[in-house]
Amino acid sequence: LAIPPLQYLEAAFTGVMQASIDTEKKLLEISRQFLKFCLSHKSMVTVIFNVHAVRVDEPEPEGELNQLRLRIFRYLTEGVQQVIPAQSEEERINLARVYFFMLNGMVMTYLNNEEPLEQLFERILPLLDQSVEIVLLGMVKKRELSAE
């Protein structure tokens, strides 16, 4: 039940990552795709992403659903990595986790909203854009402060 929608999302992410646009725009677009996907599948979000999920640093997860979930997460990881290159594998995963927490927070905030989707997207996509910018700036600033 959860696999076909995730395959659709993965295909959308693949298309964005292969597009000839700059890295920040790729990350922003996959973030927008993720938010739109989740809010378009409100009743299934928990099943799709959380039920029997494994850790994102699991190297060889069992089951097709968990493998697909981790591939989706790796797109986010790669998007963040292209904008803010990590200095270690641990930092790479942790930056992606922080980024995902921001996205997941937006999804959970609007999951029970009953506005028509187009109206909701019109209202919250600029907020997502601002959130992406702020989170990335925070990551850069944190790195600068850690280097001092």
Side-chain angles (χ1 to χ4, degrees), residues 3 6 17 21 24 28-29 38 40-42 52 58 69-70 79 81 84 95 106-107 118 131 135 138 142 144-145 148:
I3 290 174
L6 274 178
M17 295 304 279
I21 55 176
E24 287 186 36
L28 182 60
E29 185 56 31
C38 289
S40 297
H41 295 83
K42 291 178 180 183
H52 303 296
E58 183 79 28
R69 287 170 173 156
L70 290 188
Q81 170 72 17
I84 303 172
L95 290 174
M106 285 197 76
V107 169
E118 287 308 313
S131 299
V135 168
K142 171 77 170 125
E144 290 170 359
L145 292 173
E148 291 177 355

Side-chain angles (χ1 to χ4, degrees), residues 19 39 48 50 56 67-68 71-72 75 90 94 97 100-101 103 110 114 117 122 127 130-131 137 144-145 147:
L39 295 179
I48 290 173
N50 298 331
V56 295
Q67 291 170 9
L68 191 49
R71 286 197 308 268
I72 297 292
Y75 278 100
E90 181 181 8
N94 287 341
R97 283 178 169 145
F100 178 79
F101 295 155
L103 286 177
Y110 295 102
E114 294 183 12
L117 282 179
E122 188 176 309
L127 180 58
Q130 184 179 19
S131 299
L137 287 170
E144 290 170 359
L145 292 173

Side-chain angles (χ1 to χ4, degrees), residues 8 10 18-20 25 28 33 38-39 41 52 56 81 90-91 105 126 132 137 140 143 147:
Y8 172 83
E10 182 181 32
Q18 292 175 349
S20 298
K25 285 192 172 112
L28 182 60
Q33 292 286 334
C38 289
L39 295 179
H41 295 83
H52 303 296
V56 295
Q81 170 72 17
E90 181 181 8
E91 181 185 30
V132 168
L137 287 170
V140 169
R143 177 176 285 166

